[in-house]
Amino acid sequence: MDNLPLTCEKPLTQEAKTISISGRELSLGKKFPQTIVVIGDTGCRVPEGQSCDGETPFKKIAQTAAQTPDLDLVIHLGDYHYRQARKKEREHADFDTWNLDFFEPADDLLKVAPWIMVRGNRESCQFAGQGWWRFLDPRPWQHKEQDCIQPLAAGKPRDYAGDYSSPYAIPLGVSEQFIVFDTARSRFGNLHPDHYAYSQYLQKYTEMEKLAQKATHNILLMHTPVLALAGSIEKPYIGTAIKSVFLNKNKKLFPEGIKLVLASDFHIWQHIKFSSHPSHFIVGFSGAALDNSGLLEDLLRYTSQAERIHYLQNKGIDIVPHADPKVEIQAIDILHQQYGYMVMKRVDPANADSKTWSWQVAVYDRSGELLKNCTIQEKVSTCMSAKAADTCAVSAT
């Protein structure tokens, strides 16, 4: 069993004007968030060579990001937790471990704004699932649906009811919303139709489609990306296993109304603009040991987008060969071996129901130095280095 403390929960009604715990007042957030900090993959990798003593990268990032002017919301894209309290497989970490890896280093940022917390693979039942359900998931505790102790008879030894949860929507403004999609059991390769996870994710995709119909502008939040690039030239990582489910369900990959995808899992920052698919921002560079990708290193040797696209074509790297329309990269921007965080800010904050859906994006290092400037507007995007004094724009097609 788990060495976790008693955890209490209380529903928060829409009528609530203030909220406090033990006299400590918390922020309720805004109906139309204007400024949003985005982070991901913050846990410290013990015992895999990362130094986790003193001021960790995540602690510094949390302290710096907490100073973001007029901050309304924080989004964490998953993997809060890497160090295990015990070495036995499938034993869950205790609260001391959770505190070391997340609550203590995140303290400054937890104080200043409400959070949307996305589940990562490190919060699956194999690792820290019990703590995820008790501490971070926003839904009421339901033991049967959230069980990480007893494997499912219908699944394989590592399949648990608590590994899967339904997507849910969070209103962002007039006819816009976040959709939070749990991908805790999606890793690399492909999920086969005979795998229990495959049937689960097919069902969750159908639920996501229904949610997306409720708004004209949806931002999909997930940990493991559908479309992203990393790995080596010989063995590139092209998204994660969840893409095989999405493709089977919809040759377009995403439901109508998905305008933007925010994901992490790869320990990099990456922006990809596609010809017909929603732009992707991979924000996985906020604390965990960074990925060393030979493929991305090679791409960074080329300064122009045309050269980068030509390089990928020469290497025969096709992200999703059977998608319709074809997945065509128009631009790819990368920060490699660099810690940091991202900030999204509405371009037209005075009119949150504006038909021109547009955001500015700024990417910072752990100390707050500006690295990239971006603007999001519908599905199309472009990014430039802050040193070149350029901007990154996403405009309607």
Side-chain angles (χ1 to χ4, degrees):
M1 297 299 289
D2 299 299
N3 182 19
L4 295 173
L6 176 67
T7 307
C8 301
E9 62 181 33
K10 182 177 177 61
L12 181 64
T13 65
Q14 293 185 352
E15 294 76 24
K17 302 298 183 183
T18 61
I19 178 173
S20 64
I21 299 176
S22 299
R24 178 171 168 176
E25 189 170 340
L26 304 177
S27 173
L28 277 172
K30 295 182 178 178
K31 186 177 180 180
F32 299 112
Q34 310 298 324
T35 304
I36 303 170
V37 160
V38 185
I39 54 177
D41 291 274
T42 57
C44 199
R45 294 190 77 106
V46 175
E48 299 181 29
Q50 184 176 8
S51 174
C52 300
D53 296 326
E55 184 182 83
T56 61
F58 176 44
K59 185 175 181 68
K60 177 63 176 177
I61 287 167
Q63 291 171 340
T64 306
Q67 299 175 40
T68 302
D70 303 316
L71 178 58
D72 299 320
L73 180 67
V74 177
I75 297 172
H76 193 306
L77 293 167
D79 279 8
Y80 310 74
H81 184 294
Y82 277 90
R83 61 182 103 192
Q84 294 296 103
R86 293 163 289 203
K87 294 182 179 179
K88 290 183 180 180
E89 188 176 4
R90 280 176 280 173
E91 283 199 7
H92 304 278
D94 58 20
F95 182 74
D96 289 342
T97 306
W98 269 98
N99 198 44
L100 284 170
D101 232 17
F102 177 66
F103 290 111
E104 192 279 329
D107 186 60
D108 286 352
L109 196 51
L110 286 167
K111 291 176 179 177
V112 295
W115 287 46
I116 296 176
M117 294 173 170
V118 180
R119 189 182 189 182
N121 61 284
R122 301 297 300 194
E123 290 78 56
S124 69
C125 288
Q126 184 183 354
F127 298 112
Q130 292 291 75
W132 163 260
W133 287 115
R134 284 164 171 77
F135 304 145
L136 304 186
D137 187 85
R139 288 162 286 204
W141 171 257
Q142 300 288 336
H143 175 71
K144 185 176 180 181
E145 290 79 6
Q146 298 165 353
D147 182 21
C148 278
I149 301 297
Q150 184 64 40
L152 291 164
K156 295 182 179 180
R158 290 189 178 182
D159 281 318
Y160 300 83
D163 270 330
Y164 308 95
S165 63
S166 292
Y168 59 92
I170 301 174
L172 175 61
V174 175
S175 195
E176 58 181 318
Q177 62 185 8
F178 294 109
I179 296 179
V180 182
F181 196 102
D182 181 350
T183 62
R185 287 285 278 135
S186 171
R187 298 308 297 132
F188 301 108
N190 288 312
L191 286 172
H192 298 287
D194 62 348
H195 196 290
Y196 182 78
Y198 189 93
S199 62
Q200 286 293 306
Y201 285 133
L202 277 179
Q203 176 185 334
K204 307 313 178 191
Y205 189 100
T206 300
E207 295 172 12
M208 175 179 64
E209 284 182 310
K210 293 178 181 178
L211 289 173
Q213 294 171 6
K214 298 180 179 181
T216 58
H217 294 84
N218 295 274
I219 300 177
L220 180 60
L221 307 179
M222 57 200 312
H223 178 66
T224 57
V226 179
L227 303 175
L229 284 175
S232 65
I233 300 166
E234 297 77 18
K235 188 180 179 181
Y237 293 146
I238 304 174
T240 53
I242 196 72
K243 71 178 183 292
S244 60
V245 180
F246 277 43
L247 186 62
N248 177 281
K249 189 69 176 175
N250 182 357
K251 294 300 180 184
K252 295 181 179 180
L253 289 175
F254 300 96
E256 293 296 327
I258 301 292
K259 302 297 184 182
L260 180 69
V261 178
L262 303 181
S264 56
D265 196 29
F266 297 174
H267 297 178
I268 57 172
W269 178 88
Q270 186 177 89
H271 153 261
I272 309 183
K273 170 189 174 183
F274 300 98
S275 57
S276 302
H277 296 80
S279 295
H280 280 50
F281 285 86
I282 309 304
V283 187
F285 68 144
S286 303
L290 297 166
D291 288 347
N292 187 11
S293 168
L295 173 61
L296 299 185
E297 282 184 348
D298 267 19
L299 278 173
L300 285 170
R301 295 175 185 172
Y302 302 100
T303 56
S304 76
Q305 293 295 346
E307 289 175 318
R308 292 179 181 180
I309 303 309
H310 182 68
Y311 170 86
L312 294 174
Q313 292 171 343
N314 274 351
K315 295 295 181 183
I317 296 176
D318 193 349
I319 290 192
V320 185
H322 305 295
D324 184 17
K326 182 177 174 60
V327 177
E328 295 181 343
I329 295 177
Q330 292 189 328
I332 180 168
D333 299 276
I334 305 154
L335 289 173
H336 186 238
Q337 291 287 298
Q338 173 77 66
Y339 286 113
Y341 63 100
M342 193 169 88
V343 177
M344 297 172 57
K345 190 175 181 65
R346 286 188 187 272
V347 171
D348 189 11
N351 186 14
D353 61 351
S354 170
K355 293 182 179 179
T356 304
W357 191 73
S358 185
W359 296 76
Q360 291 179 342
V361 173
V363 185
Y364 298 93
D365 72 6
R366 70 176 97 179
S367 298
E369 180 181 348
L370 183 63
L371 303 175
K372 300 279 185 181
N373 278 313
C374 309
T375 304
I376 302 172
Q377 198 176 28
E378 305 297 335
K379 285 187 178 180
V380 185
S381 52
T382 309
C383 282
M384 296 289 180
S385 169
K387 292 181 180 179
D390 288 315
T391 60
C392 161
V394 180
S395 29
T397 54

